[in-house]
């Protein structure tokens, strides 16, 4: 039992998250455990949502990555807040706008990749400059507050769990079902192993790629919409930290960077871990430089631990 | 088998050389000696052992038994003995210039001004072999045509490179050259031999062999079956010597079916009817695999999946075209039929397991559990999984790209029977094979040469001789 559990690559991100949690508790002598868990779930939820999308793209195989996630988050949040104009009862309208922006950004990304044959790194990076510019242009320095009911929902809790975490959980289950149980998931995992072989086996590989690039952008847009509602408005750099963390949670979570293999539970472990490790280093009173250095080293350590396990399995 | 040259003067001598790759005997008991002034025409089927022999001579392989020596020069290594090889698969670096490519095989070009010296040397070599070639030694190779690249490779092969070439091995040098350029090469070979050099000339163009070779060596199944002066051969006797792969071809032809309606007709003349087994024959690398892959890609879409695929593909190059390496046997076998059984877009896992279990028994995949990884299987068993993947679908057309590599005899017979019975039920098979025995089971055969169909054979016309005849260029190269 323990052996099969240790063989799962996602277990390492959970162990790491638990260890970081334990170390903080050691310092506070057990005080504030509930608050810490609550904060980790709230902030981890955003990383988990964008991580799910990034995981699907990375599963497509080497070279596939979406670097436009931060810009898509910002653009979706900005346009959604503008559309809602702080009026009560417009939450669903805002969500629809965000999803629409996500679809548009995803299709535009894939169009660049497919029609211009640009490497995804270049295509999504270039596209993100456009999305960011659009966000700046439409924002014009205004800070529009989200509707009060939406803000209350985003910062609220149900049965003790943050609402944003519940939404992220539902999205995770949906992504898990798609990847593990649906025909599309098989197509995606097959395309990520060997694109030519997948095509010759009858998999519509371009459709798979298009849908995947659209999905990641929609998930980013939803994350942006929730984050803006959660933090009381959209700002132009709100997505910035999710560029690295979307990729980091995928790698720490045990998804194969070479493609063809996804890992949903690992995304959650890694998202919680990323938040907790920063909290831990903060609570031990370390300076910013040391904190970043240690964060980097810890991430490398987790990835090595997870990958050597897999190698032996 | 030894040629009539005094052994002491020969450039290379092979004595009872054998070469095994594991249990596979690629070459058995080959003795050969090539002396100055000789041009040896080396002919034989794919897999007859020509490449192995060449690689033993040039030091690319070490013999399992026997000896390779270089008496004339007393050298121990092929390179020091002045042995050069020009291979069919172009081996130039495309990002470097013609002159820089010469440097790769010419260690002594060093110090200030080596580019200038390289330029002079390669230009002189090109001029002497292909007068009026029009190739600038300072252009990068990627800007040259395939024919020009081949010319550069040949020129590098004959270039002095600090030590004169004594024996140049040319593997299919003219396959990408037009007749005029090929003739220049043949003339150069004759001049080179007249000056005391030696050449091993491998070609499927019989006409060229007769024009240039002083001796013809015929290989079959890893042995030299004939080695005589060219004058003692005629075209007919030469093809005859190469032939005879299988005898039992008539049985399959007996049970002809009534032809159904045409289900496939391509621009280059490939025709298939419902319930037919159509063979693609010819020498390897003459466009059959490309034609089949293109046919598949044209008839399927990368943008939507059909519930029942219109056509399925059995890969021969498993690693590149077939296997999904991270998956289990089960997932590999069922990937093409997921849509057939899916409900609401979800995989029907029970149906999937049934199909995999049924095919494990039917085609005899050697594993105790189909949930094992595909890579846990041997190559032949992986190939069976690919067969199962294709045949488990209800696709009316099955394309097979030389799918029997690594499959043992028993399974082959089972698969042959399966193909015949599936064809009888109305499926159409397009079958590229390098094995004549397999091609002879087909209802119709298209022979490919240089990327085009060179002959169409029906029913009783499908004989080994007819296929061979169409595979080789029988015309005299235009003088």
């Amino acid at each position: 039992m323990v052996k099969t559990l240790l063989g799962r690559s996602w277990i390492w991100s959970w162990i790491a998250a638990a260890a970081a949690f334990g170390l903080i508790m050691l310092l506070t002598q057990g005080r504030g455990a509930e608050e810490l868990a609550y904060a980790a779930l709230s902030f981890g939820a955003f990383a988990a949502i964008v991580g799910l999308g990034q995981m699907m793209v990375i599963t497509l195989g080497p070279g596939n990555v979406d670097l436009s996630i931060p810009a898509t988050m910002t653009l979706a949040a900005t346009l959604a807040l503008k559309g809602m104009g702080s009026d009560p009862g417009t939450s669903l309208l805002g969500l629809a706008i965000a999803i629409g922006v996500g679809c548009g950004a995803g299709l535009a990304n894939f169009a660049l990749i497919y029609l211009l044959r640009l490497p995804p790194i270049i295509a999504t990076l270039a596209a993100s400059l456009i999305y960011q510019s659009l966000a700046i242009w439409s924002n014009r320095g205004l800070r529009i507050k989200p509707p009060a009911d939406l803000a209350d929902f985003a910062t609220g809790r149900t049965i003790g769990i943050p609402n944003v975490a519940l939404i992220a959980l539902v999205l995770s289950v949906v992504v898990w079902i798609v990847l593990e149980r649906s025909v599309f998931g098989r197509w995606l995992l097959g395309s990520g192993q060997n694109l030519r072989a997948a095509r010759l086996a009858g998999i519509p590989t371009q459709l798979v790629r298009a849908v995947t690039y659209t999905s990641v952008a929609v998930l980013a847009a939803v994350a942006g919409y929730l984050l803006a509602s959660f933090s009381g408005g959209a700002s132009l750099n709100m997505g910035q930290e999710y560029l690295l963390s979307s990729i980091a949670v995928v790698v720490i979570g045990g998804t194969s960077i070479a493609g063809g293999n996804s890992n949903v539970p690992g995304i959650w472990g890694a998202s919680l871990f990323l938040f907790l490790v920063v909290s831990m280093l903060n609570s031990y009173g370390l300076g910013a430089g040391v904190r970043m250095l240690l964060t980097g080293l810890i991430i490398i350590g987790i990835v090595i631990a997870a990958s050597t396990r897999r190698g032996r399995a | 088998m030894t040629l009539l040259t005094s052994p002491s003067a020969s450039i290379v001598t092979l004595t009872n050389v054998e070469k095994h790759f594991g249990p596979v005997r690629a070459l058995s008991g080959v003795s050969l000696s090539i002396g100055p002034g000789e041009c040896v025409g080396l002919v034989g089927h794919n897999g007859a052992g020509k490449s192995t022999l060449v690689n033993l001579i040039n030091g690319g392989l070490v013999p399992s038994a026997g000896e390779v020596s270089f008496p004339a020069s007393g050298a121990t290594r092929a390179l020091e003995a002045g042995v050069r090889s020009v291979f069919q698969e172009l081996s130039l670096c495309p990002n470097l210039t013609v002159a820089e490519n010469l440097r790769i095989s010419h260690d002594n070009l060093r110090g200030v001004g080596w580019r200038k010296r390289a330029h002079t040397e390669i230009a002189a070599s090109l001029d002497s072999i292909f007068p009026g070639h029009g190739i600038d030694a300072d252009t990068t190779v990627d800007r040259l045509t395939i024919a020009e690249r081949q010319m550069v490779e040949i020129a590098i092969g004959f270039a002095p490179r600090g030590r004169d070439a004594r024996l140049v091995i040319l593997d299919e040098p003219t396959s990408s050259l037009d007749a005029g350029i090929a003739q220049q090469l043949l003339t150069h070979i004759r001049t080179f031999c007249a000056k005391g050099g030696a050449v091993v000339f491998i070609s499927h163009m019989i006409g060229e062999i007769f024009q240039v070779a002083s001796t013809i060596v015929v290989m079959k199944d890893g042995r030299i079956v004939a080695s005589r002066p060219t004058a003692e051969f005629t075209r007919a006797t030469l093809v005859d010597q190469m032939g005879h792969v299988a005898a039992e071809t008539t049985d399959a032809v007996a049970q002809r079916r009534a032809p159904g309606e045409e289900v496939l007709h391509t621009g280059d003349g490939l025709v298939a009817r419902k319930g037919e087994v159509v063979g693609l024959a010819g020498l390897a690398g003459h466009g059959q695999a490309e034609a089949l892959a293109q046919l598949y890609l044209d008839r399927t879409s990368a943008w939507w999946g059909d519930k029942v695929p219109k056509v399925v593909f059995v890969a021969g190059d498993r690693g590149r075209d077939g296997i999904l390496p991270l998956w289990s046997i089960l997932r590999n076998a069922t990937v093409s039929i997921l849509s057939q059984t899916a409900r609401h877009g979800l995989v029907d896992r029970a149906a999937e397991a049934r199909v995999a279990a049924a095919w494990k028994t039917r085609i005899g995949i050697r594993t105790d559990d189909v949930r094992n990884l595909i890579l846990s299987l041997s190559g032949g068993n992986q190939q069976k999984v690919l067969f199962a993947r294709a045949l488990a679908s209800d696709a009316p057309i099955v394309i097979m790209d030389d799918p029997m590599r690594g499959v043992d005899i028993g399974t082959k017979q089972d698969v042959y029977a399966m193909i015949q019975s599936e064809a009888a039920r109305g499926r159409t098979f397009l079958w590229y094979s390098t094995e004549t025995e397999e091609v002879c089971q087909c209802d119709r055969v298209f022979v490919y040469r240089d990327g085009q169909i060179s002959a169409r054979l029906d029913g009783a016309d499908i004989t080994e001789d007819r296929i061979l005849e169409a595979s080789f260029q029988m015309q005299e190269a235009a003088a």
Side-chain angles (χ1 to χ4, degrees):
Chain A
M1 175 66 193
V2 171
K3 222 171 189 176
T4 51
L5 212 54
L6 285 181
R8 310 263 171 193
S9 42
W10 53 262
I11 199 73
W12 294 95
S13 62
W14 282 94
I15 291 174
F21 192 87
L23 282 172
I24 299 173
M25 286 304 102
L26 213 61
L27 193 74
T28 63
Q29 287 153 349
R31 281 188 303 268
E34 200 179 319
E35 287 78 2
L36 182 65
Y38 188 82
L41 280 173
S42 299
F43 288 97
F46 301 111
I49 296 175
V50 291
L52 287 171
Q54 193 69 279
M55 176 185 71
M56 290 172 71
V57 173
I58 286 178
T59 300
L60 274 178
N64 285 293
V65 70
D66 186 353
L67 299 185
S68 70
I69 284 178
T72 307
M73 289 173 75
T74 309
L75 181 62
T78 308
L79 293 184
L81 287 183
K82 210 175 173 189
M84 294 185 289
S86 307
D87 301 332
T90 51
S91 309
L92 287 179
L93 171 73
L95 181 62
I97 292 173
I99 290 176
V101 170
C103 285
L107 289 174
N109 283 343
F110 184 68
L112 286 176
I113 294 166
Y114 179 74
L115 295 175
L116 303 183
R117 300 186 188 285
L118 292 175
I121 291 181
I122 308 291
T124 55
L125 201 56
S128 79
L129 295 177
I130 298 170
Y131 307 151
Q132 190 74 25
S133 306
L134 286 175
I136 294 170
W137 178 68
S138 67
N139 180 297
R140 292 172 199 266
L142 295 173
R143 188 161 172 95
I144 307 167
K145 283 201 176 311
D149 51 345
L150 179 59
D152 288 346
F153 171 80
T155 51
R157 61 176 85 189
T158 309
I159 48 167
I161 299 171
N163 288 333
V164 284
L166 289 173
I167 289 179
L169 199 62
V170 170
L171 289 174
S172 306
V173 171
V174 170
V175 169
W176 185 86
I177 290 174
V178 166
L179 282 172
E180 300 296 324
R181 292 287 182 265
S182 79
V183 174
F184 178 81
R186 286 287 177 84
W187 285 349
L188 172 56
L189 295 169
S191 304
Q193 295 175 51
N194 181 341
L195 200 64
R196 181 178 163 89
R199 176 74 174 85
L200 289 172
I203 295 175
T205 47
Q206 296 303 349
L207 174 75
V208 168
R209 280 158 58 90
V211 170
T212 306
Y213 273 97
T214 309
S215 306
V216 62
V218 168
L219 285 167
V222 169
Y225 165 82
L226 287 174
L227 183 60
S229 311
F230 179 82
S231 56
S235 62
L236 288 174
N237 61 358
M238 60 182 280
Q240 214 170 31
E241 64 172 297
Y242 293 98
L243 180 59
L244 177 66
S245 63
S246 71
I247 297 172
V249 296
V250 173
V251 177
I252 298 174
T255 291
S256 163
I257 202 83
N261 193 1
S262 303
N263 198 322
V264 175
I267 294 287
W268 269 98
S271 300
L272 298 176
F273 166 70
L274 270 192
F275 174 81
L276 288 167
V277 79
V278 174
S279 311
M280 178 185 81
L281 298 174
N282 269 332
S283 53
Y284 277 85
L286 297 170
V290 182
R291 222 161 54 208
M292 285 171 87
L293 184 75
L294 283 177
T295 313
L297 288 176
I298 291 169
I299 289 178
I300 292 170
I302 298 291
V303 170
I304 290 174
S307 58
T308 46
R309 268 289 153 179
R310 240 173 304 163
R312 264 180 272 154
Chain B
M1 291 294 162
T2 309
L3 298 171
L4 307 170
T5 324
S6 122
S8 60
S10 66
I11 296 171
V12 62
T13 302
L14 287 81
T15 328
N16 281 317
V17 166
E18 307 213 348
K19 183 68 197 174
H20 313 253
F21 295 103
V24 180
R25 199 174 258 262
L27 219 55
S28 39
V30 168
S31 296
L32 178 68
S33 167
I34 302 170
E38 245 186 310
C39 176
V40 177
L42 188 56
V43 295
H45 285 293
N46 297 303
K50 303 191 297 285
S51 300
T52 311
L53 179 64
V54 163
N55 279 313
L56 285 168
I57 295 176
N58 70 18
L61 291 173
V62 178
S64 311
E67 197 195 0
V68 180
S69 60
F70 306 95
S73 56
T76 48
R77 291 179 58 226
L79 201 63
E80 289 153 17
V83 176
R84 310 281 179 78
S85 308
V86 177
F87 290 112
Q88 214 173 333
E89 57 271 23
L90 301 165
S91 54
L92 299 173
C93 300
N95 57 333
L96 301 182
T97 67
V98 171
E100 285 164 348
N101 266 288
L102 173 69
R103 166 66 186 81
I104 290 171
S105 51
H106 187 345
D107 281 343
N108 295 334
L109 278 175
R110 54 181 77 235
V112 180
W114 67 267
R115 276 198 178 77
K116 199 168 159 53
R117 278 179 278 134
H119 183 112
T120 316
E121 184 171 332
I122 189 67
S125 181
L126 275 168
D127 287 342
S128 70
I129 307 170
F130 305 108
H133 53 83
I135 301 171
D136 178 0
D138 289 330
T139 32
T140 52
V141 166
D142 55 9
R143 299 173 67 180
L144 301 178
T145 64
I146 295 289
E148 286 172 331
R149 292 183 202 193
Q150 182 73 66
M151 289 157 71
V152 169
E153 281 217 46
I154 293 168
I156 290 177
F158 282 103
R161 287 164 29 188
R163 170 194 308 121
D164 278 340
R166 288 166 166 274
L167 170 65
V168 179
I169 302 167
L170 299 165
D171 190 355
E172 290 273 356
T174 56
S175 56
S176 50
L177 301 181
D178 67 47
I181 304 287
Q183 208 53 43
Q184 289 184 334
L185 174 63
L186 299 188
T187 311
H188 181 78
I189 292 174
R190 279 193 293 261
T191 323
F192 180 72
C193 292
K195 287 183 192 158
V199 168
V200 174
F201 187 82
I202 302 175
S203 179
H204 289 303
M205 316 241 185
I206 304 282
E208 292 178 355
I209 296 276
F210 274 99
Q211 267 190 52
V212 77
S214 55
T215 315
I216 295 179
V217 172
V218 183
M219 294 197 69
K220 209 183 99 183
D221 302 333
R223 294 175 182 281
I224 292 178
V225 292
S227 171
R228 292 198 297 276
T230 308
E232 295 178 23
F233 284 99
T234 64
R235 274 143 206 273
T237 56
L238 185 55
V239 171
D240 200 40
Q241 291 274 11
M242 286 190 283
H244 305 301
V245 172
E248 5 80 60
T249 53
T250 39
D251 300 358
V253 186
Q255 26 156 344
R256 288 277 141 235
R257 292 169 290 271
E261 81 260 33
E262 216 168 73
V263 292
L264 190 126
H265 195 139
T266 66
D268 59 352
L270 196 62
V271 180
R273 294 172 186 281
K274 189 172 156 65
E276 260 184 345
V277 181
V278 175
L280 280 75
L283 298 160
H286 276 242
Q288 303 93 330
E290 292 78 3
L292 285 181
Q294 201 51 50
L295 192 64
Y296 179 86
L297 296 177
D298 288 347
R299 301 196 145 232
T300 54
S301 169
W303 289 100
W304 60 84
D306 294 305
K307 198 164 173 62
V308 176
K310 284 200 279 293
V311 39
V312 286
F313 189 88
V314 184
D317 188 339
R318 284 187 298 272
R320 193 190 64 179
D321 297 345
I323 294 296
L324 297 168
L326 300 179
W327 272 355
S328 63
I329 298 163
L330 182 147
R331 285 196 173 194
N332 264 288
T334 58
V335 62
S336 298
I337 57 155
L338 294 173
S339 303
Q340 259 171 261
T341 54
R343 282 171 314 201
H344 312 302
L346 296 183
V347 174
D348 184 343
R349 299 208 297 160
E352 184 183 42
R354 274 197 305 278
V355 170
W359 279 94
K360 171 183 175 329
T361 325
R362 190 161 170 207
I363 207 163
I365 299 165
R366 258 175 243 134
T367 181
D368 33 307
D369 190 343
V370 290
R371 283 172 300 177
N372 288 336
L373 285 180
I374 183 88
L375 292 182
S376 68
L377 296 176
S378 70
N381 275 286
Q382 291 179 20
Q383 197 64 54
K384 291 184 201 173
V385 176
L386 296 184
F387 265 113
R389 179 195 286 176
L391 296 180
S393 78
D394 294 332
I397 299 177
V398 181
I399 290 177
M400 303 193 291
D401 172 15
D402 201 10
M404 295 294 187
R405 296 180 207 173
V407 176
D408 56 83
I409 302 281
T411 310
K412 273 188 189 175
Q413 297 302 336
D414 293 347
V415 174
Y416 296 159
M418 223 175 272
I419 289 170
Q420 294 298 341
S421 74
E422 292 284 329
R425 287 171 45 199
R427 280 215 225 196
T428 307
F429 286 82
L430 289 173
W431 187 0
Y432 164 47
S433 176
T434 45
E435 291 185 38
T436 312
E437 177 199 356
E438 293 173 0
V439 174
C440 289
Q441 299 185 15
C442 297
D443 299 306
R444 176 177 308 130
V445 171
F446 292 90
V447 185
Y448 276 70
R449 195 176 63 223
D450 295 333
Q452 282 166 339
I453 294 174
S454 68
R456 171 185 160 160
L457 306 172
D458 283 283
D461 285 347
I462 306 172
T463 62
E464 195 181 345
D465 295 344
R466 297 289 295 268
I467 294 170
L468 265 183
E469 201 180 315
S471 303
F472 289 89
Q473 183 112 2
M474 296 303 282
Q475 297 85 6
E476 198 85 49

